[in-house]
Amino acid sequence: MIDWSSIRSVFFDLDNTLIDHTGAEQRAFEMCFERCEFGGGEYTCEELLGHYRRINNDLWSAYRRGEVTTDEVRHERFRRILSLQFPYTIHSVSTEKVSEVYLSLYDTASIPLDGAMEAIDLTKKRYGFVGIITNGFPRQVARKLEHHRWTATF
């Protein structure tokens, strides 16, 4: 049996536990699609988002296996998306630029999930320390925490 009185800290996963990562990903991708002028290619935004999610998941799996770096994940996913969307075109926009646009949009597209703040507050009151665990890019995690005014919370 667990002695709950001995618990002094609790860690939450950030994405899809406290923050709606899936919704933020969709909103940021849609805005990036417009801003980077991805229209007029092979796929609609919705179709391309499905491809993006598959590619992104595959790359994160490769990262966990030690086959690629986070920088490669960040750029390769958009290189593959550009190649799918415009297969017969040399791209005038760099994958680095697309990645930066997407990540900056993603920062402000995230919203807390229902009950997240209440869970954080109650847990902090009961156990004293609340932390987060995430596999996100460190700069993005810091931006999310700033965006939600959670920097002092974690």
Side-chain angles (χ1 to χ4, degrees):
M1 185 183 262
I2 297 173
D3 178 10
W4 295 101
S5 66
S6 66
I7 295 174
R8 297 287 177 249
S9 58
V10 175
F11 291 84
F12 289 96
D13 180 42
L14 188 59
D15 293 330
N16 285 336
T17 301
L18 298 177
I19 293 174
D20 178 14
H21 163 74
T22 305
E25 177 184 61
Q26 179 176 343
R27 287 184 292 280
F29 190 87
E30 289 169 351
M31 290 185 286
C32 185
F33 185 93
E34 296 277 327
R35 194 166 292 174
C36 293
E37 300 177 355
F38 284 178
E42 297 289 312
Y43 300 98
T44 65
C45 183
E46 185 177 334
E47 292 167 332
L48 204 58
L49 176 60
H51 289 293
Y52 170 82
R53 285 183 168 149
R54 179 187 49 77
I55 291 165
N56 196 43
N57 285 337
D58 290 349
L59 286 168
W60 277 109
S61 292
Y63 169 76
R64 286 188 292 278
R65 291 189 304 270
E67 298 169 0
V68 296
T69 67
T70 54
D71 280 343
E72 289 170 315
V73 171
R74 191 180 326 194
H75 300 291
E76 181 62 17
R77 59 189 176 179
F78 288 108
R79 188 199 63 74
R80 292 182 189 181
I81 285 299
L82 285 168
S83 294
L84 277 173
Q85 185 68 339
F86 306 108
Y88 308 108
T89 307
I90 295 174
H91 315 297
S92 60
V93 62
S94 74
T95 57
E96 186 172 324
K97 178 66 176 167
V98 174
S99 181
E100 285 301 315
V101 168
Y102 170 79
L103 291 173
S104 69
L105 293 167
Y106 175 82
D107 292 338
T108 58
S110 69
I111 56 173
L113 289 167
D114 289 341
M117 283 308 304
E118 293 83 359
I120 293 167
D121 291 342
L122 287 171
T123 304
K124 195 169 188 175
K125 284 178 190 169
R126 182 165 185 175
Y127 298 109
F129 178 82
V130 178
I132 57 167
I133 297 173
T134 182
N135 66 346
F137 300 127
R139 191 171 84 195
Q140 294 313 119
V141 172
R143 287 179 180 175
K144 285 182 208 178
L145 295 177
E146 288 172 13
H147 175 70
H148 295 290
R149 297 187 178 126
W150 288 348
T151 306
T153 304
F154 299 106

